[in-house]
Amino acid sequence: MDKCSSELSIPSAPRDFGFYNNGSYVAAGTREIFTRSSPGHGVPVTRIPKCTVEDLDLAVDSARTAFDDRRWSGLNGQARAAVLLKAAALIRERSEEIAFFETLENGKPISQARAEVGGCADMFEYASGLARSLHGDSFNNLGDGMFGIVTREPVGVVGLITPWNFPFLILCERVPYILASGCTIVAKPSEVTSATTLILAEILTDAGLPDGCMNVVTGSGSSIGQALIEHPRVDMLSFTGSTAVGRRVVEAAGRTNFKKLGLELGGKNPQIVFADADLEDAADGVAFGIGFNTGQCCVSGSRLIVERSVADEFAQMLREKFSKVVVGDPLDEKTQIGAITTDAQNTTIMSYIEKGSAEGAELICGGEQLDFGRGQYIAPTLFGNVTGDMAIAREEIFGPVLTIMPFDTIEEAIEIANDTEYGLAASVWSKNIDKALTVMRQVQAGRFWVNTTLAGGPELPLGGFKQSGWGREAGMYGVEEYTQVKSVHIEIGKRTPWIE
Ligand code: NAD
């Protein structure tokens, strides 16, 4: 065991996982293995099988059978809720193990991983109530001869593809809601962060979920992910990841069986700061909005749009905040910003930083790799003198890089905020309620924060406008998303004949 600066230790050997089919692990056997090294330390931490297309077929068969024989959708809400509640309790019981593997594979700070896992248990607890309250509608106003009801039915087998930035949180913003609706699942986590998805499958079996309702295939997006989005026996696909792959998902559904789609894609999210805001709060919130999860969040507040009269002062405040934030070993409990998750992402972020300088933006602070002897780390980075046509202002960087653009009027602030193909999230900082609500109404985003940022929870839905996606996850909306609606007309009494 290699000791870190905190109590936690890097494992001396990677943990072997199988993939998960029909209620149990399937060992890697002769399949190729992907060895994942921790981005914070560069040591191997997990070994995950690369599933074959035959493995995927098997998992889809399991989910299909489990759905079609109604072993799950045929249970009443109370029984489904009991499984989800038990799963929540088991997540809490195993929270330290889950947080540990989340940190090892992803590079996020352990304190953050622990908080996320707690939030995930809460998702299951909340969704258990929804399993019992999911209902349709009735129409008692169709005259004495007719009665109408609208029922909700689970869509069927759901393919669930998730990214590496919040492997467990994004999973748990979907799985309990999908299960509450009565659907069954074939999940495909990112190849670099599969461990906690596999642990969740095991937990669900232990919680009493019938076999075949939660299956996990592991492997690369281009092989096993592509086969899942094209699979003709999958009824719905929930995809969270880049807009580029989201486009492939839409094309694949069109080419195959027109499966229902839920898409949560990229973002380039504005943080609008007015001069009348509590600037201390705003600076802290803006720093958190871009530093949290190393800026590798779909909802990171990566574009600061600040009223010109306070722009210089605010940039100074941010610079100070950035200088104090604790970047370092993700296993250290004091760390606030951990490692960059993949080599490719590290290269992407550094190339955007270079591009920003080359395009004429002013590098106010950061911009460099931090050397802790191992792992890959990037200092929180601030760019001033940014114009709307620069790549750093338009493209999703997915790293701790914040751009600053000043505005003079509320109309201009809204125009800059909406000048993007994305519409995932936005924040406004102002003590003037008229301004805050006007901005809230006119900025195109699926999530909006007033005098805060990145707030969330199981109650409110998640999802994007414009090219940030289709559909909503979490809340009652997140359960309804995995249902389809059936309209039923019921004639009462003697039929008026068509043929006399
Ligand atoms: P990605 O699109 O590369 O990968 C996401 C998932 O899709 C992974 O499991 C990957 O293996 C799989 N995949 C890749 N190619 C595929 C293919 N051809 N067919 C099927 N599946 C395929 O994204 P990423 O790099 O893992 O994550 C970063 C991106 O995800 C960012 O753009 C970010 O904004 C987005 N994201 C969005 C949200 C949201 O809720 N809107 C949340 C997290 C991440």
Side-chain angles (χ1 to χ4, degrees):
M1 291 269 190
D2 186 356
K3 213 66 187 150
C4 301
S5 42
S6 71
E7 291 305 303
L8 290 169
S9 304
I10 303 162
S12 49
R15 175 160 155 190
D16 282 302
F17 284 87
F19 66 99
Y20 206 83
N21 179 52
N22 210 24
S24 41
Y25 277 118
V26 181
T30 55
R31 291 170 188 83
E32 275 184 71
I33 302 241
F34 176 77
T35 302
R36 172 66 175 154
S37 289
S38 65
H41 319 96
V43 302
V45 289
T46 53
R47 286 163 37 93
I48 311 278
K50 291 188 184 172
C51 285
T52 61
V53 173
E54 290 72 34
D55 296 331
L56 171 66
D57 284 340
L58 214 63
V60 173
D61 280 349
S62 300
R64 188 78 265 162
T65 305
F67 183 76
D68 292 344
D69 70 13
R70 303 184 64 79
R71 72 184 73 165
W72 179 242
S73 64
L75 298 182
N76 63 29
Q78 186 185 22
R80 287 213 289 270
V83 171
L84 297 177
L85 276 178
K86 178 75 183 161
L90 293 176
I91 290 171
R92 291 195 194 281
E93 237 174 81
R94 294 179 66 176
S95 59
E96 205 41 44
E97 176 197 3
I98 299 169
F100 186 55
F101 277 98
E102 197 76 342
T103 286
L104 288 181
E105 287 194 332
N106 169 279
K108 66 179 65 201
I110 187 71
S111 59
Q112 182 191 321
R114 286 175 179 147
E116 285 173 20
V117 175
C120 290
D122 193 27
M123 294 278 174
F124 274 81
E125 284 155 1
Y126 184 78
S128 72
L130 300 181
R132 302 190 69 169
S133 50
L134 179 64
H135 64 276
D137 205 353
S138 66
F139 287 80
N140 203 23
N141 59 349
L142 305 181
D144 281 348
M146 192 64 77
F147 181 52
I149 55 176
V150 180
T151 62
R152 287 192 174 272
E153 297 180 3
V155 173
V157 173
V158 177
L160 177 58
I161 299 182
T162 49
W164 46 253
N165 58 340
F166 291 96
F168 199 63
L169 182 66
I170 287 178
L171 183 74
C172 295
E173 284 169 347
R174 287 145 184 76
V175 167
Y177 300 91
I178 298 173
L179 291 176
S181 77
C183 291
T184 62
I185 300 172
V186 177
K188 208 263 347 140
S190 163
E191 47 275 45
V192 295
T193 53
S194 301
T196 54
T197 304
L198 291 161
I199 293 173
L200 181 68
E202 196 186 322
I203 283 176
L204 285 166
T205 300
D206 292 346
L209 183 72
D211 292 349
C213 295
M214 172 72 177
N215 310 279
V216 182
V217 288
T218 48
S220 80
S222 54
S223 62
I224 213 73
Q226 185 70 31
L228 181 55
I229 65 179
E230 289 174 354
H231 209 291
R233 280 153 60 76
V234 169
D235 303 302
M236 177 165 174
L237 203 291
S238 167
F239 173 80
T240 306
S242 59
T243 299
V245 178
R247 211 175 290 285
R248 299 178 77 113
V249 173
V250 174
E251 286 161 5
R255 259 200 325 275
T256 55
N257 61 341
F258 277 106
K259 50 179 72 68
K260 185 176 179 185
L261 298 180
L263 303 172
E264 294 221 19
L265 310 171
K268 189 75 181 170
N269 311 293
Q271 292 264 8
I272 302 175
V273 177
F274 284 92
D276 62 22
D278 179 326
L279 292 183
E280 187 52 42
D281 275 3
D284 190 71
V286 170
F288 172 67
I290 191 66
F292 181 70
N293 215 47
T294 334
Q296 299 174 126
C297 292
C298 50
V299 289
S300 288
S302 51
R303 288 188 297 143
L304 170 62
I305 302 166
V306 56
E307 195 158 352
R308 197 180 301 277
S309 58
V310 294
D312 288 343
E313 176 191 354
F314 198 72
Q316 274 316 311
M317 291 170 84
L318 274 176
R319 185 189 184 141
E320 239 174 81
K321 293 269 175 204
F322 279 10
S323 70
K324 289 187 196 154
V325 72
V326 183
V327 187
D329 187 336
L331 286 175
D332 189 323
E333 283 166 358
K334 293 189 292 301
T335 293
Q336 292 172 289
I337 295 185
I340 304 299
T341 304
T342 67
D343 296 349
Q345 191 56 31
N346 197 62
T347 307
T348 301
I349 299 168
M350 290 312 293
S351 70
Y352 272 112
I353 291 173
E354 271 171 38
K355 208 181 278 183
S357 297
E359 281 180 323
E362 177 203 357
L363 183 63
I364 298 175
C365 64
E368 75 273 4
Q369 299 258 189
L370 299 175
D371 185 3
F372 297 118
R374 57 186 179 179
Q376 54 206 9
Y377 298 85
I378 295 177
T381 299
L382 194 56
F383 275 112
N385 277 343
V386 176
T387 53
D389 55 342
M390 292 181 184
I392 54 168
R394 307 207 69 79
E395 296 168 23
E396 185 183 46
I397 299 173
F398 223 54
V401 182
L402 181 65
T403 60
I404 307 180
M405 289 175 71
F407 70 86
D408 292 302
T409 63
I410 185 169
E411 292 76 21
E412 196 188 352
I414 292 167
E415 193 184 318
I416 298 171
N418 285 336
D419 182 21
T420 167
E421 68 201 35
Y422 296 113
L424 198 55
S427 305
V428 67
W429 300 84
S430 169
K431 288 297 180 193
N432 180 319
I433 192 163
D434 297 345
K435 279 185 201 166
L437 292 185
T438 300
V439 172
M440 184 276 288
R441 281 196 170 147
Q442 294 187 26
V443 169
Q444 297 150 338
R447 295 174 75 182
F448 197 91
W449 295 289
V450 179
N451 292 326
T452 186
T453 197
L454 304 188
E459 295 88 354
L460 274 68
L462 323 165
F465 284 20
K466 302 201 280 187
Q467 293 188 37
S468 290
W470 294 347
R472 292 295 178 268
E473 307 286 352
M476 181 49 102
Y477 303 85
V479 180
E480 290 178 351
E481 197 72 31
Y482 294 95
T483 64
Q484 47 198 343
V485 162
K486 182 176 279 176
S487 295
V488 185
H489 282 90
I490 305 166
E491 185 149 331
I492 302 168
K494 185 78 184 135
R495 175 179 170 78
T496 308
W498 184 51
I499 303 167
E500 294 293 346

